[in-house]
C-alpha cells in the first residue's frame, strides 16, 4: 500500500481565484458573498451569493478559441482553471503535444453541468428541430464534460471520470483518487469538484426555502454557520483541485509536499433512522467519522482541528453533536473547528474540494482560519463545546492531524483525515 501525499493545489472561489489570493482571503476572513441584482429581478427570496470573479483575459489563458466557441458552462470553466493551476503547482507542464501519461488520471466531480448552455440551446428550437441543438451542447452538458476537458488539456491516460454525490462530491473524489494511488493503480491523480453559478441551479434551493432571505442588504453577514441567528445557507459556486501522488513518485520528483492523506471513509445513512433526502442519519455520520479514523490508523485524541460541513442551517447543532460523539470529545477537550462557508457560502458540489484545499493550507501554514459571522454561537452548540473552540480570529497553532467532512443531499457522507507530512 502506497502512502499518498498532496503536491499541487488550485482553487476558484468566491473570495479568491488562484492559490495566493484564496490563501490571503481565508486567513483574513474575507467574505466573497455579494448582492446580485439579477436574483432580485427574478423574484428570488435570497438575492445574495458567492460567484468567482474571472476576467475574459484570464479565461483566454486556459481555454483555446476553439474550446470557447459556443462556450457557456461555468462549471467546466471553473474546473479547468483550478485543475490546470493544481497541475502546474505540482510541477507538471501543460502541453498539447505532451506524451500521454498512463500513470496519471482524473476524478473530477460536479452536481450539474452546463445548465445555462442547455437552456441556451433548447430555447432556440422547438421539439421538431431537436437536431439543431448544436454540436457544442454535447460535451458542455454531459456530467463528464469537466473531466473530458481536463483529460484532453493535460494528456493523462489513467482513469478519467466524473463523480456526483451532492455536497460530498469533492471529498468523495479525493478519497476515490486516494484509493487508486494507495492500491498502486495510479501514481498521480488530479481530484476535485466544480459547481456552476446558474440561476437554474440556485432557483430550486430558493423554492425549498433553505436559503437565507434576511441579509439581502448585508450580504457579507449572510452566511452564519454555528450562529444562533443563522437563517439558511447562502449559495456559492466555484471549483478546486488537488494533485494526489504516491510518496515514492513525489520524492523521486523532489516535489513540494503540502500534506499527507492518511485515510478516510465514505458511507450513507440509507435515509433511515431519522435520515432523509435532506436530513442526516446521525448514527451513519458518526460511523463515517469513526471509520475514517480507523482507516487512517489514528485515535480521536490526535485530531487538532476540524473543517466541518456546517452550512448555517438548523442541522449545524446536530453536526457538532455527531462530532462530539464520534470523537468522544466535548467541552474544552474538543478540537478547534471552522466552516469555510462563513466566508464563501455553500458551493454545493464544489464545497468539498474548495474546503479541502483550505484544510490543507491550514496544515501547510500551521494555523486555523477564522469563522466569521459567529459572534452569537447557537446555544445548543455552546452546551456541547467551549466557545473558544470556534475561533473568531486567525490562530497560529501546530497542526499535525486535521479532519475534513462533507455530508450531502441523499444522506451521503464522506470524511478524510489529513496529516502534516514528516520525512520518516
Amino acid at each position: 500500500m502506497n502512502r499518498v501525499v498532496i503536491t499541487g493545489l488550485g482553487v476558484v472561489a468566491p473570495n479568491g481565484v488562484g492559490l495566493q489570493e484564496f490563501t490571503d482571503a481565508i486567513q483574513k476572513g474575507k467574505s466573497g458573498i455579494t448582492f446580485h441584482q439579477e436574483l432580485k429581478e427574478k423574484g428570488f427570496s435570497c438575492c445574495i451569493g458567492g460567484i468567482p470573479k474571472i476576467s475574459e483575459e484570464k479565461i483566454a489563458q486556459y481555454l483555446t478559441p476553439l474550446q470557447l466557441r459556443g462556450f457557456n458552462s461555468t462549471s467546466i470553466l471553473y474546473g479547468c482553471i483550478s485543475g490546470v493551476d493544481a497541475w502546474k503547482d505540482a510541477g507538471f507542464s501543460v502541453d498539447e503535444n505532451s506524451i500521454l501519461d498512463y500513470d496519471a488520471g482524473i476524478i473530477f466531480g460536479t452536481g450539474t453541468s452546463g445548465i445555462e448552455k442547455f437552456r441556451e440551446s433548447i430555447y432556440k428550437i422547438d421539439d421538431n428541430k431537436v437536431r439543431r441543438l448544436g454540436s457544442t451542447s454535447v460535451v458542455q452538458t454531459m456530467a463528464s464534460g469537466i473531466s473530458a476537458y481536463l483529460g484532453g488539456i493535460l494528456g493523462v491516460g489513467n482513469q478519467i471520470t466524473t463523480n456526483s454525490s451532492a455536497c460530498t462530491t469533492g471529498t468523495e473524489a479525493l478519497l476515490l483518487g486516494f484509493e487508486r494511488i494507495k492500491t498502486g493503480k495510479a501514481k498521480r491523480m488530479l481530484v476535485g469538484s466544480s459547481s456552476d453559478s446558474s440561476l437554474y441551479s440556485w432557483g430550486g434551493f430558493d423554492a425549498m426555502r433553505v436559503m437565507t432571505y434576511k441579509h439581502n442588504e448585508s450580504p457579507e453577514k449572510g452566511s452564519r454557520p454555528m450562529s444562533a441567528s443563522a437563517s439558511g445557507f447562502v449559495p456559492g459556486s466555484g471549483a478546486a483541485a488537488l494533485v494526489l501522488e504516491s510518496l515514492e513518485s513525489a520524492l523521486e520528483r523532489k516535489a513540494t509536499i503540502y500534506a499527507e492523506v492518511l485515510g478516510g471513509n465514505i458511507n450513507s445513512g440509507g435515509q433511515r433512522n431519522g435520515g432523509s433526502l435532506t436530513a442526516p442519519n446521525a448514527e451513519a455520520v458518526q460511523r463515517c467519522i469513526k471509520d475514517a479514523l480507523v482507516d487512517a490508523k489514528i485515535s480521536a485524541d490526535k485530531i487538532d482541528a476540524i473543517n466541518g460541513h456546517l452550512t448555517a442551517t438548523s442541522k449545524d447543532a446536530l453536526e457538532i453533536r455527531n462530532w462530539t460523539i464520534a470523537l468522544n470529545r466535548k467541552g474544552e477537550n474538543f478540537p478547534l473547528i471552522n466552516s469555510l462557508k462563513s466566508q464563501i457560502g455553500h458551493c454545493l458540489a464544489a464545497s468539498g474540494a474548495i474546503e479541502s484545499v483550505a484544510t490543507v493550507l491550514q496544515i501547510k501554514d500551521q494555523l486555523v482560519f477564522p469563522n466569521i459571522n459567529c459572534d452569537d454561537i447557537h446555544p445548543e452548540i455552546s452546551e456541547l463545546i467551549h466557545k473558544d473552540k470556534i475561533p473568531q480570529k486567525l490562530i497560529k497553532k501546530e497542526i499535525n492531524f486535521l479532519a475534513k467532512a462533507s455530508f450531502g443531499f441523499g444522506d451521503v457522507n464522506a470524511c478524510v483525515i489529513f496529516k502534516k507530512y514528516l520525512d520518516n
Side-chain angles (χ1 to χ4, degrees):
M1 294 293 180
N2 295 312
R3 289 173 67 182
V4 181
V5 294
I6 299 164
T7 56
L9 301 172
V11 63
V12 174
N15 65 346
V17 177
L19 198 56
Q20 190 58 58
E21 187 174 291
F22 179 68
T23 300
D24 293 343
I26 65 172
Q27 290 187 13
K28 294 175 182 176
K30 177 184 177 183
S31 174
I33 308 300
T34 54
F35 174 81
H36 298 282
Q37 182 64 31
E38 188 177 10
L39 295 176
K40 183 177 181 179
E41 292 172 353
K42 295 293 189 296
F44 277 58
S45 298
C46 177
C47 301
I48 60 176
I51 299 178
K53 298 176 181 178
I54 306 174
S55 66
E56 293 297 325
E57 291 75 18
K58 189 173 186 67
I59 293 172
Q61 296 173 18
Y62 293 85
L63 298 175
T64 67
L66 180 60
Q67 289 170 326
L68 289 171
R69 186 180 299 169
F71 188 86
N72 189 9
S73 173
T74 52
S75 178
I76 292 176
L77 173 66
Y78 299 154
C80 286
I81 293 175
S82 64
V84 168
D85 281 356
W87 199 245
K88 288 181 176 179
D89 185 51
F92 299 111
S93 62
V94 177
D95 181 359
E96 63 180 9
N97 297 313
S98 63
I99 298 173
L100 184 61
D101 184 356
Y102 286 105
D103 291 322
I106 297 170
I107 300 178
F108 213 103
T110 188
T112 56
S113 182
I115 290 180
E116 295 284 355
K117 178 63 181 179
F118 195 63
R119 181 190 181 280
E120 171 192 281
S121 299
I122 64 175
Y123 186 73
K124 297 176 181 178
I125 64 172
D126 60 37
D127 291 343
N128 296 318
K129 299 178 181 178
V130 175
R131 289 188 69 252
R132 296 184 183 179
L133 276 172
S135 59
T136 61
S137 69
V138 178
V139 71
Q140 291 183 53
T141 57
M142 63 185 187
S144 58
I146 177 74
S147 55
Y149 266 80
L150 280 168
I153 292 170
L154 303 180
V156 298
N158 206 283
Q159 179 185 12
I160 296 180
T161 192
T162 295
N163 68 306
S164 186
S165 296
C167 312
T168 68
T169 297
T171 309
E172 179 185 76
L174 190 155
L175 287 168
L176 293 174
F178 164 75
E179 288 292 339
R180 193 158 184 85
I181 297 170
K182 181 181 176 181
T183 56
K185 295 180 180 179
K187 290 183 179 179
R188 296 168 290 277
M189 294 294 294
L190 178 71
V191 300
S193 61
S194 181
S195 186
D196 53 20
S197 51
S198 168
L199 300 183
Y200 298 92
S201 295
W202 294 358
F205 291 106
D206 197 71
M208 290 169 66
R209 300 185 182 277
V210 293
M211 302 197 302
T212 183
Y213 61 89
K214 295 183 177 181
H215 296 277
N216 291 334
E217 305 300 322
S218 53
E220 293 185 357
K221 296 180 180 180
S223 187
R224 309 181 67 81
M226 297 181 282
S227 167
S229 54
S231 54
F233 76 80
V234 175
S237 58
L242 305 90
V243 175
L244 306 185
E245 190 166 359
S246 71
L247 177 59
E248 181 182 14
S249 173
L251 293 176
E252 185 180 309
R253 295 194 306 112
K254 296 181 172 60
T256 297
I257 296 175
Y258 285 102
E260 183 172 359
V261 183
L262 275 192
N265 188 51
I266 303 166
N267 78 358
S268 168
Q271 300 175 46
R272 302 289 192 278
N273 301 326
S276 67
L277 278 174
T278 57
N281 174 339
E283 180 185 348
V285 169
Q286 294 162 25
R287 181 166 184 163
C288 182
I289 297 167
K290 290 177 181 178
D291 287 350
L293 292 169
V294 171
D295 188 61
K297 296 181 175 62
I298 66 164
S299 58
D301 63 296
K302 295 288 188 181
I303 299 297
D304 298 302
I306 299 166
N307 182 240
H309 186 59
L310 298 166
T311 58
T313 63
S314 61
K315 299 302 179 184
D316 283 5
L318 176 58
E319 179 178 336
I320 297 296
R321 181 175 295 280
N322 287 331
W323 281 108
T324 64
I325 294 172
L327 300 179
N328 193 26
R329 296 172 63 181
K330 60 182 180 178
E332 294 185 356
N333 187 40
F334 194 76
L336 293 168
I337 188 165
N338 54 18
S339 172
L340 186 65
K341 293 180 181 71
S342 65
Q343 300 183 25
I344 65 173
H346 189 350
C347 293
L348 305 174
S351 62
I354 297 174
E355 292 162 18
S356 288
V357 169
T359 302
V360 171
L361 289 173
Q362 293 183 109
I363 294 176
K364 170 184 174 288
D365 297 324
Q366 292 292 279
L367 55 81
V368 177
F369 66 77
N371 295 280
I372 64 174
N373 304 325
C374 191
D375 49 0
D376 59 334
I377 298 171
H378 195 287
E380 290 182 32
I381 294 175
S382 295
E383 292 177 3
L384 295 167
I385 63 176
H386 194 276
K387 64 178 182 179
D388 291 345
K389 299 303 178 177
I390 305 173
Q392 311 293 309
K393 296 180 180 179
L394 182 145
I395 294 178
K396 287 282 187 178
K397 176 180 170 59
E398 183 178 355
I399 301 290
N400 291 308
F401 298 94
L402 212 159
K404 165 67 199 145
S406 299
F407 310 117
F409 185 88
D411 201 8
V412 292
N413 313 303
C415 181
V416 59
I417 309 297
F418 297 103
K419 176 183 179 292
K420 178 182 177 182
Y421 171 69
L422 299 173
D423 186 14
N424 54 38

